[in-house]
Amino acid sequence: MIYMGHSMSEQNGSFTGYYFSFKGTVRALLRGSGQVMFQESAYTGLLILVGIFWGAYSASVPQIAWGALLGLAASTFAGWIIGEYRQDGEQGLWGFNGILVGCAFPTFLEPVPLMWVSLVCCAMLTTWMRRGFNNVTAQFKINSLTFPFVFLTWTFLLSARVLTATPLADMNSPALIVHIGGQIDWSIGSFAIYWLKGISQVFLINNWITGIIFLIALGVCSIWAAIYAAMSSAIALLVAVLFAADPADVTAGLFGFSPVLTGIALGTTFYKVSWKSAIWTVAGVVATVFIQAGMDTLMLPWGMPTLTAPFCIATWLFLLPLYKMDDTSNPDMTVWKGQKK
């Protein structure tokens, strides 16, 4: 499934002939898991999968864990069969959108046979659409991030309301009025759980132990990524509570996952760690919370989840100015190289 050597010539970074290596395949798959949080690390990716399986089985929804693994494999395989750039495959960039599709489909759809077929097809499409979206965004010196996952998942979930052979499961009904429900437990222990869930929800897992595992996974590769993930979830939680967000969303960590990704992207990935980038990152994290709230309202009439769209929008907005920060020239944000281990 992944390049480890070539039997035919390479041109422009693409490839046409490969032989298999079990070790290389596993490494590429695990890095694909890690790249959701911008980490090119097989160790990080392995721990993230452990966290997904823990959270899914704890909630008695094992289909989410196996969907994540299937989506990761399908999207990585798609890069191989179509002749995507070898380096992207080695870095895990074929797989990060696919694993998110694999988490989302079993979350929002009933696990019928056609759902699994659709999951594989959409996960594979994310790899090919990533190239297309990147071609569009490259002129602005930014990357498509997780938008291929967002676009394809939105499209399929909307179609599922008409094409009912893949029935919806955990989806909100279309509505025009925002309903506020639930209540916040103001104890320190409960707030710690809300904070950790904000990290676990990056992969649609509602489990605080998974949040701890994800922080460890990040720390194994990049201590700064772990710090920014923890800080971003805490800031998002504080802002959501301060502005009286829906307690049900706050307690489930649903205001945390997009800010976590924004924090890692701005604080450690596209800008070097510095006091300037820290200020910029905090501003981006706060903005993500408001974009999240606005998009929750925007998507309400369709009964659709926002997924990681708030992260994409906020990160694009804070990358488009192309501020130099500590770089000597305007940075090129079209690609990233995660911490590698």
Side-chain angles (χ1 to χ4, degrees), residues 15 27 32 42 56 58 81-83 123 153 155 162 169 203 215 217 244 246 260 280 286 292-293 308 311 330:
F15 62 92
R27 183 170 58 243
S58 296
I81 63 173
I82 205 65
T153 303
T155 300
V162 175
F203 289 86
L215 282 177
D246 185 350
V260 164
W280 193 239
V286 173
Q292 173 80 60
T308 56
F311 147 67
N330 282 340

Short mmCIF file of all heavy atoms in Angstrom, two decimals, residues 15 27 32 42 56 58 81-83 123 153 155 162 169 203 215 217 244 246 260 280 286 292-293 308 311 330:
data_model
loop_
_atom_site.label_atom_id
_atom_site.label_comp_id
_atom_site.label_asym_id
_atom_site.label_seq_id
_atom_site.Cartn_x
_atom_site.Cartn_y
_atom_site.Cartn_z
N PHE A 15 4.65 8.65 -8.74
CA PHE A 15 5.25 7.35 -8.95
C PHE A 15 4.33 6.47 -9.78
O PHE A 15 3.13 6.68 -9.84
CB PHE A 15 5.58 6.67 -7.62
CG PHE A 15 4.39 6.39 -6.75
CD1 PHE A 15 3.75 5.17 -6.82
CD2 PHE A 15 3.94 7.34 -5.88
CE1 PHE A 15 2.66 4.92 -6.01
CE2 PHE A 15 2.86 7.08 -5.06
CZ PHE A 15 2.22 5.87 -5.13
N ARG A 27 3.92 2.06 8.90
CA ARG A 27 4.39 3.38 9.29
C ARG A 27 3.57 4.48 8.61
O ARG A 27 3.19 5.47 9.24
CB ARG A 27 5.88 3.54 8.94
CG ARG A 27 6.45 4.88 9.39
CD ARG A 27 7.96 4.92 9.27
NE ARG A 27 8.42 4.65 7.92
CZ ARG A 27 9.17 3.61 7.57
NH1 ARG A 27 9.55 2.73 8.47
NH2 ARG A 27 9.54 3.43 6.31
N GLY A 32 -0.57 8.63 9.09
CA GLY A 32 -1.82 9.23 8.64
C GLY A 32 -2.74 9.56 9.79
O GLY A 32 -3.43 10.58 9.79
N ALA A 42 4.70 7.82 13.67
CA ALA A 42 3.99 6.55 13.79
C ALA A 42 3.61 6.27 15.24
O ALA A 42 2.56 5.69 15.52
CB ALA A 42 4.86 5.41 13.25
N ALA A 56 -14.27 4.42 21.82
CA ALA A 56 -15.37 3.80 21.09
C ALA A 56 -15.91 2.59 21.83
O ALA A 56 -17.14 2.42 21.97
CB ALA A 56 -14.91 3.40 19.69
N SER A 58 -15.57 1.96 25.04
CA SER A 58 -16.13 2.41 26.31
C SER A 58 -17.56 2.90 26.15
O SER A 58 -18.39 2.76 27.06
CB SER A 58 -15.27 3.53 26.91
OG SER A 58 -13.98 3.06 27.23
N ILE A 81 -3.02 3.69 -5.50
CA ILE A 81 -3.53 3.21 -6.78
C ILE A 81 -3.61 4.32 -7.83
O ILE A 81 -3.57 4.05 -9.03
CB ILE A 81 -4.91 2.53 -6.64
CG1 ILE A 81 -5.96 3.51 -6.13
CG2 ILE A 81 -4.81 1.31 -5.73
CD1 ILE A 81 -7.37 2.93 -6.13
N ILE A 82 -3.74 5.59 -7.39
CA ILE A 82 -3.90 6.68 -8.35
C ILE A 82 -2.56 7.31 -8.73
O ILE A 82 -2.48 8.08 -9.68
CB ILE A 82 -4.87 7.74 -7.81
CG1 ILE A 82 -5.52 8.54 -8.96
CG2 ILE A 82 -4.16 8.68 -6.85
CD1 ILE A 82 -6.41 7.73 -9.85
N GLY A 83 -1.51 7.00 -7.99
CA GLY A 83 -0.21 7.58 -8.30
C GLY A 83 0.01 8.93 -7.68
O GLY A 83 0.57 9.83 -8.30
N ALA A 123 -13.80 7.79 1.84
CA ALA A 123 -12.44 7.90 2.38
C ALA A 123 -11.42 7.93 1.25
O ALA A 123 -10.46 8.72 1.29
CB ALA A 123 -12.16 6.72 3.32
N THR A 153 -18.19 14.55 3.74
CA THR A 153 -19.09 14.08 4.79
C THR A 153 -20.39 14.87 4.79
O THR A 153 -21.48 14.31 4.91
CB THR A 153 -18.42 14.17 6.17
OG1 THR A 153 -17.20 13.42 6.14
CG2 THR A 153 -19.32 13.60 7.26
N THR A 155 -21.72 16.34 2.21
CA THR A 155 -22.44 15.93 1.01
C THR A 155 -23.17 14.61 1.22
O THR A 155 -24.36 14.46 0.88
CB THR A 155 -21.48 15.81 -0.19
OG1 THR A 155 -20.85 17.07 -0.43
CG2 THR A 155 -22.21 15.37 -1.44
N VAL A 162 -32.30 11.70 1.67
CA VAL A 162 -33.11 11.31 0.51
C VAL A 162 -32.82 9.88 0.10
O VAL A 162 -33.72 9.09 -0.18
CB VAL A 162 -32.85 12.27 -0.68
CG1 VAL A 162 -33.59 11.80 -1.91
CG2 VAL A 162 -33.26 13.69 -0.31
N ALA A 169 -28.32 8.04 11.92
CA ALA A 169 -28.36 7.54 13.30
C ALA A 169 -28.35 8.72 14.26
O ALA A 169 -29.38 9.27 14.62
CB ALA A 169 -27.19 6.59 13.55
N PHE A 203 -11.56 13.46 17.12
CA PHE A 203 -11.91 12.24 16.39
C PHE A 203 -13.33 11.77 16.71
O PHE A 203 -13.64 10.59 16.58
CB PHE A 203 -10.91 11.13 16.71
CG PHE A 203 -9.54 11.34 16.12
CD1 PHE A 203 -8.59 12.10 16.78
CD2 PHE A 203 -9.20 10.80 14.88
CE1 PHE A 203 -7.33 12.30 16.24
CE2 PHE A 203 -7.95 11.00 14.33
CZ PHE A 203 -7.02 11.75 15.01
N LEU A 215 -3.22 13.59 24.42
CA LEU A 215 -2.19 14.50 24.89
C LEU A 215 -0.84 13.79 25.00
O LEU A 215 0.21 14.34 24.64
CB LEU A 215 -2.57 15.10 26.24
CG LEU A 215 -3.60 16.23 26.23
CD1 LEU A 215 -3.93 16.66 27.65
CD2 LEU A 215 -3.08 17.42 25.43
N ALA A 217 0.01 11.19 23.25
CA ALA A 217 0.41 10.94 21.86
C ALA A 217 1.11 12.15 21.27
O ALA A 217 2.14 12.02 20.59
CB ALA A 217 -0.81 10.57 21.03
N ALA A 244 -21.78 31.87 27.83
CA ALA A 244 -23.00 31.11 28.10
C ALA A 244 -23.42 30.24 26.92
O ALA A 244 -24.57 30.29 26.45
CB ALA A 244 -24.14 32.04 28.51
N ASP A 246 -24.31 26.63 25.00
CA ASP A 246 -25.18 25.52 25.37
C ASP A 246 -24.44 24.56 26.31
O ASP A 246 -23.41 23.98 25.92
CB ASP A 246 -25.62 24.78 24.10
CG ASP A 246 -26.64 23.68 24.39
OD1 ASP A 246 -26.88 23.36 25.56
OD2 ASP A 246 -27.18 23.12 23.41
N VAL A 260 -8.64 23.20 19.27
CA VAL A 260 -7.42 22.40 19.49
C VAL A 260 -6.62 22.30 18.20
O VAL A 260 -5.40 22.49 18.18
CB VAL A 260 -7.79 21.00 20.02
CG1 VAL A 260 -6.61 20.04 19.88
CG2 VAL A 260 -8.21 21.08 21.49
N TRP A 280 -0.80 35.35 18.36
CA TRP A 280 -1.59 35.10 17.14
C TRP A 280 -2.43 33.84 17.29
O TRP A 280 -3.59 33.80 16.86
CB TRP A 280 -0.62 34.98 15.97
CG TRP A 280 -1.22 35.03 14.59
CD1 TRP A 280 -1.13 34.06 13.63
CD2 TRP A 280 -1.96 36.09 13.99
NE1 TRP A 280 -1.76 34.45 12.48
CE2 TRP A 280 -2.28 35.71 12.68
CE3 TRP A 280 -2.36 37.35 14.46
CZ2 TRP A 280 -3.00 36.51 11.83
CZ3 TRP A 280 -3.09 38.16 13.59
CH2 TRP A 280 -3.40 37.73 12.29
N VAL A 286 -9.60 31.75 20.02
CA VAL A 286 -10.81 32.46 20.45
C VAL A 286 -11.75 32.66 19.25
O VAL A 286 -12.97 32.45 19.36
CB VAL A 286 -10.45 33.81 21.09
CG1 VAL A 286 -11.72 34.62 21.38
CG2 VAL A 286 -9.68 33.59 22.39
N GLN A 292 -17.31 28.55 15.43
CA GLN A 292 -18.02 27.31 15.77
C GLN A 292 -19.48 27.61 16.15
O GLN A 292 -20.41 26.98 15.63
CB GLN A 292 -17.33 26.62 16.94
CG GLN A 292 -18.07 25.41 17.51
CD GLN A 292 -17.85 24.17 16.69
OE1 GLN A 292 -16.73 23.73 16.53
NE2 GLN A 292 -18.92 23.59 16.16
N ALA A 293 -19.68 28.59 17.03
CA ALA A 293 -21.03 28.93 17.46
C ALA A 293 -21.87 29.43 16.28
O ALA A 293 -23.04 29.07 16.13
CB ALA A 293 -20.98 29.98 18.56
N THR A 308 -15.09 19.67 11.31
CA THR A 308 -13.90 20.51 11.56
C THR A 308 -13.89 21.77 10.68
O THR A 308 -12.85 22.42 10.54
CB THR A 308 -12.60 19.72 11.32
OG1 THR A 308 -12.62 19.17 9.98
CG2 THR A 308 -12.47 18.58 12.32
N PHE A 311 -12.46 24.96 12.33
CA PHE A 311 -11.00 24.94 12.34
C PHE A 311 -10.44 25.36 10.99
O PHE A 311 -9.51 26.19 10.92
CB PHE A 311 -10.52 23.53 12.70
CG PHE A 311 -9.23 23.12 12.05
CD1 PHE A 311 -8.03 23.75 12.36
CD2 PHE A 311 -9.21 22.08 11.11
CE1 PHE A 311 -6.83 23.37 11.75
CE2 PHE A 311 -8.02 21.69 10.51
CZ PHE A 311 -6.83 22.34 10.82
N ASN A 330 7.81 35.92 3.38
CA ASN A 330 6.44 35.46 3.55
C ASN A 330 6.39 33.94 3.52
O ASN A 330 6.88 33.32 2.57
CB ASN A 330 5.55 36.02 2.43
CG ASN A 330 5.19 37.46 2.68
OD1 ASN A 330 5.27 37.95 3.80
ND2 ASN A 330 4.79 38.16 1.63
#
